[in-house]
Amino acid sequence: LEKDPKQEWYESIRQAGVVATIPIMLGIGPVVGLYLGKGLDHLWSTSPIFSYVGLVLGFLAAIRETYRIIKQLSKKK
Amino acid sequence: MLFESVAWAAETAEHGTEAAHHAEGGAPHILNIIAFLQKLFPDSHFVHFLHQHENILFTVFCAILISFFCWLGARHRQMIPRGLQNCIEMLFEGLDKFVCGIIGPKGTKYTPFVGSVFLYILINNLMGVVPLMHSATSAFTTTLPIALAVFFYVQLTGIRELGLGGYLHHLVGSPNDLIGWMLAPLLLILHVIGELARPLSLALRLFGNISGEHVLMAIFMGMGVAITGVIKVPAPIHFPFLFLGLLTSFIQAFVFSLLTTIYLALLLSHEHEHDEAHGNDQHKTEQSLGITEIN
């Protein structure tokens, strides 16, 4: 069966959206985690423990968020 | 000779062009009507005030433009739409299909918000390719508030749809068993970081793409003016980038609204799962009580 060209175009734009999301989300997650960790370090004078923990958790959160977005998009309604 | 021409062209591009100039120590940008007025009346306080608030003015103009066309289209509503009403209905139907395609039949409720975000960003982006206009989405101070509006809307929708308890349960990763509850603190942190990263990533993506596109166009406009000075024939070498600008404008507005819809869908699918789980529990209870419907 041939795909509807309009539908195909819509699908490719949708995929472009997902592809555009991944690098930015993977970059922003660790930054947010790092800054939250820095804030906690500043609060409790524990530098740099929470900064490193925040960085790692930020990266994990970014991977989780990206996975959830891709999973949601690949669902068939 | 060639070297002299190139050097002269570069000098002209740097000092002589009005099309692209360096903002106060910043990247080159395309001349808009307010910047043009400031060049005409450099001593006017009013024009200086306009120049300082140009992003706000252009966003207000964009909002007025959208409202005006929607008002015009909805002024004489007919059962069989014609003209502008037809165009607007087609657009809204398309947006509704797009939202419901991701969220499901319940998505219609969220079409006004997602549609408004899409139209507002699209028109703002497109204003950047219109001569003497300016795209406010090329400023982080415009994209961040839109992203924050999306962030708060999604959180409030979560609280409204799931209830405060359900929303908190969702935040800790919807645990159902002991292992789930043990992992809850970690998942809460991951979830909070993920939620905070969303508006920042939305805002930065839009700002980066649109401002990058404008800097590119401004550089090529400047080069075009410089080359025109050398070959004495107009050289609009930025022209192909206008099409790129049209495409980027649409894609960025689409991606922004797509992600807004996905964020809503992530919450609502949770609600759906919650409803299903609740429905199953109820079904099991009914079965245990022997009140299952007999077909």
Side-chain angles (χ1 to χ4, degrees), chain A:
Chain A
L1 281 170
E2 272 188 34
K3 270 188 178 177
D4 177 16
K6 206 174 159 187
Q7 188 66 26
E8 212 169 321
W9 186 79
Y10 171 73
E11 275 300 318
S12 45
I13 293 279
R14 219 160 100 135
Q15 279 169 8
V18 181
V19 171
T21 304
I22 298 166
I24 292 177
M25 188 49 94
L26 288 179
I28 298 287
V31 172
V32 172
L34 178 71
Y35 275 94
L36 285 178
K38 272 194 170 195
L40 291 178
D41 275 336
H42 182 73
L43 204 68
W44 295 321
S45 309
T46 49
S47 181
I49 298 168
F50 282 109
S51 300
Y52 289 137
V53 172
L55 194 70
V56 173
L57 287 178
F59 191 62
L60 288 176
I63 292 173
R64 183 173 173 265
E65 192 69 20
T66 311
Y67 169 74
R68 289 175 74 203
I69 290 171
I70 294 171
K71 199 176 142 192
Q72 185 65 38
L73 263 181
S74 42
K75 265 187 190 172
K76 294 276 175 206
K77 290 280 171 187

Side-chain angles (χ1 to χ4, degrees), chain B residues 193-262:
Chain B
I193 295 174
E195 291 285 338
L196 291 176
R198 280 175 185 179
L200 210 58
S201 79
L202 279 176
L204 279 175
R205 185 188 306 105
L206 183 61
F207 157 70
N209 279 289
I210 302 300
S211 63
E213 169 207 311
H214 285 191
V215 169
L216 185 80
M217 260 201 279
I219 289 170
F220 274 85
M221 272 183 188
M223 280 167 67
V225 173
I227 291 170
T228 303
V230 177
I231 62 173
K232 310 291 180 200
V233 175
I237 54 169
H238 70 285
F239 194 66
F241 297 103
L242 288 176
F243 291 101
L244 181 76
L246 289 176
L247 187 70
T248 320
S249 300
F250 180 77
I251 289 180
Q252 287 312 312
F254 183 82
V255 167
F256 202 102
S257 36
L258 177 75
L259 287 170
T260 305
T261 318
I262 290 170

Side-chain angles (χ1 to χ4, degrees), chain B residues 38-93:
Chain B
Q38 210 198 12
K39 283 198 176 291
L40 282 180
F41 312 104
D43 299 326
S44 165
H45 289 292
F46 178 66
V47 175
H48 183 68
F49 172 81
L50 291 181
H51 188 58
Q52 273 187 325
H53 300 91
E54 65 176 18
N55 284 324
I56 299 169
L57 290 171
F58 279 106
T59 49
V60 169
F61 176 72
C62 172
I64 292 172
L65 201 71
I66 296 169
S67 309
F68 176 70
F69 275 102
C70 287
W71 172 77
L72 215 62
R75 200 171 40 156
H76 302 297
R77 276 177 290 175
Q78 290 165 337
M79 190 55 104
I80 300 165
R82 287 174 63 196
L84 191 60
Q85 189 194 345
N86 200 9
C87 289
I88 290 174
E89 282 194 14
M90 255 171 65
L91 181 72
F92 279 74
E93 256 182 50

Side-chain angles (χ1 to χ4, degrees), chain B residues 69-150:
Chain B
F69 275 102
C70 287
W71 172 77
L72 215 62
R75 200 171 40 156
H76 302 297
R77 276 177 290 175
Q78 290 165 337
M79 190 55 104
I80 300 165
R82 287 174 63 196
L84 191 60
Q85 189 194 345
N86 200 9
C87 289
I88 290 174
E89 282 194 14
M90 255 171 65
L91 181 72
F92 279 74
E93 256 182 50
L95 284 168
D96 190 51
K97 264 187 195 168
F98 160 71
V99 175
C100 291
I102 295 169
I103 296 179
K106 274 179 101 176
T108 306
K109 211 160 67 172
Y110 307 100
T111 305
F113 181 76
V114 178
S116 304
V117 166
F118 175 78
L119 277 179
Y120 182 66
I121 294 172
L122 180 69
I123 304 297
N124 256 316
N125 290 351
L126 286 176
M127 271 162 62
V129 290
V130 178
L132 290 180
M133 293 303 277
H134 169 70
S135 171
T137 40
S138 61
F140 190 58
T141 47
T142 308
T143 58
L144 188 65
I146 307 173
L148 284 175
V150 169

